[in-house]
Amino acid sequence: MKQVFSKNYWDDKDISLLVGQILRIGVILASSILMIGGIWYLIVHGQDAVPNYSDFIGEGKSNTTITGIIVGAFNQNIPQIIQLGVLLLICTPIVRVIGSLFGFVIEKDKLYIIITLIVLTVIIGSILSGVKG
């Protein structure tokens, strides 16, 4: 990546490298957290009896809100650690779109800036329409 910042301009290859790095880091980080949480869960709860799934019991705010997931993960609650991995996996493509947007702004490619802003607006709108109050 040192080579990218030594030039006075960015081209399509540089943006592709940036987007690739964002995706690679995001997926590796998310899968690592998921693996740690999953293995930890099996160590602690692997011998537990199978729960009764005949009645649906919804999850509380600790597993369904961003604040609950982050606080629970920092308090070393295993379900929230697993949820944090899922959350990071969901955030990875969003960060990729934001990274692409920065690349296109630096490249001054107006058409791709507009397209990327539209994509980002659709993603954010979809997320906000599903957020629990």
Side-chain angles (χ1 to χ4, degrees), residues 88-101:
L88 287 174
L89 196 59
I90 291 169
C91 288
T92 298
I94 298 167
V95 173
R96 183 205 88 123
V97 172
I98 294 169
S100 298
L101 179 63

Side-chain angles (χ1 to χ4, degrees), residues 23-133:
L23 289 172
R24 196 172 300 112
I25 291 168
V27 169
I28 289 171
L29 184 64
S31 0
S32 299
I33 291 172
L34 282 164
M35 290 279 290
I36 290 168
I39 291 169
W40 192 359
Y41 184 86
L42 288 174
I43 290 170
V44 173
H45 298 287
Q47 299 296 319
D48 291 357
V50 177
N52 180 8
Y53 289 117
S54 60
D55 295 323
F56 177 75
I57 301 171
E59 292 292 330
K61 290 188 182 252
S62 63
N63 278 339
T64 58
T65 63
I66 294 173
T67 306
I69 292 169
I70 293 172
V71 169
F74 279 111
N75 288 329
Q76 299 179 353
N77 294 330
I78 300 170
Q80 284 78 35
I81 291 172
I82 295 170
Q83 286 291 87
L84 180 63
V86 172
L87 187 62
L88 287 174
L89 196 59
I90 291 169
C91 288
T92 298
I94 298 167
V95 173
R96 183 205 88 123
V97 172
I98 294 169
S100 298
L101 179 63
F102 283 126
F104 295 137
V105 167
I106 290 170
E107 198 178 55
K108 297 178 181 158
D109 191 336
K110 293 177 184 173
L111 176 63
Y112 281 107
I113 291 171
I114 292 168
I115 292 170
T116 307
L117 282 171
I118 292 169
V119 170
L120 193 58
T121 303
V122 169
I123 291 170
I124 291 172
S126 298
I127 290 171
L128 292 178
S129 69
V131 172
K132 291 183 177 183

